[in-house]
Amino acid sequence: MAAADGLAFHEFEEATNLLAETPDAATTSKSDQLTPQGHVVVAVGSGGSYGVEEEVEEEGDKTALLQEEKPQPGFWTFSYYQSFFDVDTSQVLDRIKGSLLPRPGYNFVRHHLRNRPDLYGPFWICATLAFVLAVTGNLTLVLAQRRDPSVHYSPQFHKVTVAGITIYCYAWLVPLALWGFLRWRKGVRERVGPYTFLETVCIYGYSLFIFIPTVVLWLIPVPWLQWLFGALALALSAAGLVFTLWPVVREDTRLVAAVLLSAVVVLHALLAMGCKLYFFQPLPPEHVVPPSKATALPPNILLTPTMSRSMATS
Amino acid sequence: MAEAAESPGDPGTASPRPLFAGLSDISISQDIPIEGEITIPVRSRIRESDSSTLNESVRNTIMRDLKAVGKKFMHVLYPRKSNTLLRDWDLWGPLILCVTLALMLQRGSVDGEKDGGPQFAEVFVIVWFGAVTITLNSKLLGGNISFFQSLCVLGYCILPLTVAMLVCRLVLLAEPGPVNFMVRLFVVIVMFVWSIVASTAFLADSQPPNRKALAVYPVFLFYFVISWMILTFTPQ
């Protein structure tokens, strides 16, 4: 019984800490934080109202408690990594929405992550982006072959490897460098602590999500439209990164802040442009239609009978 | 999931405090699948008690395993909620399917084209490492399925796509044309949907309901990549 009493007292402290950290959190605590039941709801934030989820919340809450009382499980145990996948479908979708629409006042880490980063989002968004890049890049080759029958179609499987390595290196090494740099400059700023490594990985991972629909839209073979979509996606993504990093670098000297933010934006732009130029080679110009064909080829229909005719005549 | 099912029970009955009062209202019998035990296959115990498998003919041994594999193929082709695939898991079926698929998908070594289709090793790596990654993902999200059970299910559900590969190779023997491509596209799409439905029927129950989509999406991506490799296969 004494242990249970001590348990309740620690929980109360945890609740006030959480509320102090996230003053603008949109929690739905049924009662104020003095009662333990309200504390159970505050701990997780925006979730559904499943009975199972309440148990999972309570479970996550108790593990957070235990982590305060004794050291975290070592990195060789499975439960250490399980703590990074402690998210629900609704939370992941909420984080993706938060990265798609960055707003100046809302800090992605505080508002959406609620300081509970996950590894599910960054990992699977990078995997999806790598495969979508390779697949759509291959589809543009199909389009190119339709226009110019001399172009030989091949599955180009090596591009999957290239895409995977590029995206994963970007999404994991650049946050590592950024985190290291921010920790190095930690001495200059006293008030605002830097983000943890996982939070930085989350920021970058979720910011790459907007490129997935952009890459699919790059199939449309209109060059200025492709550059427009690319610029739009880059603007949204880089804006999200800048708004999230601004509170952390604001305390630093202006030069360092400007250099850091512009480096982040430039790296992001380089990634976007590199992907566009490597995976989406420019289509050959509309070739002269052979006299046997009378109709013009509409550019955005992939599979038409003309494809067979072009394959037959090549 | 077993832990989550147990935890409200213990504090609720051990110490009746207002802190855990709300938990007594939670019923733990609905929607939480307390199934999918990690068991040793029953077959091995029977073998040890018989001690006759060493003396039986090789044909008997091979036929027994082949029949087990064939039975599981039937379960995949007509997916319904049954535990056979999970209870008596084996990895022979996935190995046979993966090797068949990789052999059919590899590009010939004679041509010097550097950007052709995948090599044998690439298909093999994608299938097995993809299955391992999905299994790890499912376990990290809190699923109550064991590692090899999940590998077994994912491997067996490649069967529809292997059938699609066979059909595509037969169709490619005919003359190329739009009909050729449409037939292949249709077959691959149907088999892709079949694979997803089959694997979801086995795997989805092992996840908590608020994370089902998170666990099923990687399976979708996995079979999509395999379908893409099958669809873009061009014979040299």
Side-chain angles (χ1 to χ4, degrees), chain B residues 57-175:
Chain B
S57 65
V58 173
R59 186 172 167 276
N60 278 357
T61 313
I62 294 182
M63 286 312 294
R64 186 173 55 234
D65 281 330
L66 275 181
K67 277 198 200 126
V69 168
K71 201 163 78 142
K72 291 201 192 60
F73 279 170
M74 285 301 125
H75 276 280
V76 169
L77 285 178
Y78 303 106
R80 50 181 189 279
K81 287 195 191 298
S82 82
N83 272 344
T84 313
L85 226 67
L86 292 177
R87 232 183 13 239
D88 305 327
W89 61 265
D90 73 86
L91 291 178
W92 283 114
L95 181 68
I96 294 173
L97 287 172
C98 179
V99 167
T100 314
L101 194 64
L103 276 176
M104 288 196 286
L105 268 177
Q106 66 169 349
R107 60 175 181 252
S109 56
V110 186
D111 63 336
E113 206 180 303
K114 85 168 169 64
D115 55 350
Q119 296 278 20
F120 179 93
E122 287 170 338
V123 178
F124 211 81
V125 160
I126 282 195
V127 169
W128 284 102
F129 275 88
V132 165
T133 309
I134 296 175
T135 307
L136 277 179
N137 176 68
S138 158
K139 285 188 76 70
L140 284 169
L141 282 173
N144 66 346
I145 193 172
S146 94
F147 183 76
F148 287 109
Q149 283 171 343
S150 173
L151 276 188
C152 168
V153 167
L154 287 168
Y156 269 103
C157 291
I158 298 181
L159 176 67
L161 287 170
T162 311
V163 169
M165 183 73 221
L166 282 166
V167 170
C168 281
R169 278 212 95 144
L170 287 175
V171 169
L172 278 170
L173 291 176
E175 85 280 3

Side-chain angles (χ1 to χ4, degrees), chain A residues 99-184:
Chain A
S99 77
L100 282 178
L101 306 163
R103 284 178 285 180
Y106 286 87
N107 186 341
F108 181 72
V109 172
R110 302 262 176 261
H111 189 70
H112 289 278
L113 291 189
R114 305 265 167 88
N115 289 98
R116 290 186 61 191
D118 69 300
L119 279 182
Y120 179 92
F123 184 80
W124 287 110
I125 290 178
C126 291
T128 311
L129 184 61
F131 283 120
V132 166
L133 263 179
V135 166
T136 49
N138 205 228
L139 279 176
T140 56
L141 198 61
V142 170
L143 287 180
Q145 193 189 32
R146 273 191 52 251
R147 287 195 186 187
D148 182 6
S150 67
V151 170
H152 175 55
Y153 171 77
S154 59
Q156 288 181 324
F157 192 73
H158 68 286
K159 293 212 167 174
V160 172
T161 321
V162 170
I165 292 178
T166 315
I167 301 289
Y168 272 100
C169 280
Y170 179 80
W172 293 77
L173 293 183
V174 172
L176 183 68
L178 183 68
W179 171 75
F181 181 78
L182 286 177
R183 277 190 74 93
W184 176 55

